[in-house]
Amino acid sequence: MLALFFWRYEVKVAVITGASAGIGKRLAFEFAADGINVALVARREEMLEAVRVQILEQYKIQVMVIVADLTADQGPQSVFDSLRDHEVSHLVNNAGFGTNGLFWELDRQKELRQIGLNISALTELTHLFLPQMVKRNSGNILNIASTAAFQPGPNMSVYFATKAYVLSFSEGISSELSGTGVKVTAHCPGATHTEFADVAGVNDKLLFKAGAATVDSVAKHAYLSMSKGKVVAIHGLKNWLLAFSVRFTPRFLIRSLAKVITK
Ligand SMILES: NC(=O)c1ccc[n+]([C@@H]2O[C@H](COP(=O)([O-])OP(=O)(O)OC[C@H]3O[C@@H](n4cnc5c(N)ncnc54)[C@H](OP(=O)(O)O)[C@@H]3O)[C@@H](O)[C@H]2O)c1
């Protein structure tokens, strides 16, 4: 089901998935503050509407609400279809979720939905919107990966693997796009205060108990990194050092450490 609350012909717009909460919601305000119209995508219509109202109270831009389950058949395609008459200048693939537990004990359908959202929807939306950006020789794609992308994550094996895909895919197409004027950024936040930890059931894990960043600082950093055209951007010095140290640490040790913070 898809609802559209604002529509204008040939309006430039930034499409943000997962804009009803967390990082995606804050990112919408970053675009709005820069005078860029936004299309907010998620499943919870009331939350999207509330974000729309909050943005319009502060900024003179156009805000569209697109209600879509990106794991549903035709989910990404329905988002693309509703923006057919718009010039999509930015695509933010932010919607994502994680799970925690022993892989073989987790709900199979939920694990597959996780891959569907974190990988398939991101890939499909990118494939749908990229051709028009390449044709125009301009555009930005901001993919929200994670510091999980840099190592395996026992107890969150599928989640960490999906984020490794996001990082690798983003770097790959960013290189393919060299010279086209289209930039791709993989942004890698560490633990961040959003609904994510509740959804994944990891609030009581060291991963979050060791400290989490504010959603404001993560969204601002992601927006700035995209604006500068950075290919890979890691939020925070501690996260950068951790991601960097992985290169010099034996894999068995990395696996053991990752297991401690997610158990
Ligand atoms: N928070 C962290 O610690 C952290 C760290 C690193 C990376 N990240 C990444 O940051 C991104 C944003 O996460 P967050 O922390 O902001 O989490 P969040 O607060 O749980 O927000 C997730 C967003 O995704 C949307 N969403 C979930 N399932 C969807 C579906 N099937 N179709 C469409 N939209 C869907 C949710 O909206 P609806 O429920 O309304 O659909 C919500 O707007 C994710 O990719 C996550 O992996 C988060």
Side-chain angles (χ1 to χ4, degrees), residues 214-252:
T214 66
V215 70
D216 274 20
S217 73
V218 169
K220 278 187 195 315
H221 185 258
Y223 188 78
L224 196 67
S225 306
M226 177 204 69
S227 304
K228 287 181 177 168
K230 286 199 173 186
V231 179
V232 180
I234 301 170
H235 177 256
L237 181 64
K238 185 184 78 180
N239 290 328
W240 188 87
L241 288 171
L242 283 171
F244 192 67
S245 67
V246 166
R247 297 183 196 177
F248 310 105
T249 313
R251 297 295 283 182
F252 78 89

Side-chain angles (χ1 to χ4, degrees), residues 52-145:
R52 188 174 87 92
V53 170
Q54 285 168 33
I55 292 176
L56 291 176
E57 276 168 6
Q58 291 181 51
Y59 303 104
K60 286 193 168 41
I61 60 154
Q62 295 172 13
V63 183
M64 287 172 63
V65 162
I66 301 174
V67 180
D69 181 345
L70 294 172
T71 64
D73 270 358
Q74 302 297 313
Q77 181 70 48
S78 70
V79 174
F80 179 74
D81 289 345
S82 43
L83 289 159
R84 257 189 206 290
D85 297 326
H86 289 67
E87 184 176 324
V88 173
S89 53
H90 300 76
L91 168 64
V92 181
N93 285 304
N94 161 79
F97 75 94
T99 51
N100 179 258
L102 299 173
F103 170 67
W104 64 92
E105 290 179 2
L106 291 169
D107 180 81
R108 191 182 315 137
Q109 293 312 320
K110 196 168 177 186
E111 293 306 287
L112 294 175
R113 272 203 308 281
Q114 191 180 167
I115 294 169
L117 182 62
N118 300 7
I119 294 182
S120 303
L122 172 144
T123 308
E124 189 173 351
L125 285 170
T126 304
H127 198 264
L128 285 163
F129 285 109
L130 246 184
Q132 54 178 262
M133 291 183 179
V134 172
K135 205 169 162 188
R136 283 196 312 268
N137 295 310
S138 75
N140 284 87
I141 295 179
L142 172 59
N143 289 333
I144 304 300

Side-chain angles (χ1 to χ4, degrees), residues 18 20 23 43-44 69-70 94 145 159 163 190 192 194-195 208:
S20 61
I23 298 169
R43 293 167 302 178
R44 289 171 293 177
D69 181 345
L70 294 172
N94 161 79
Y159 179 71
K163 293 302 176 176
T192 308
T194 64
E195 294 179 0
F208 274 80

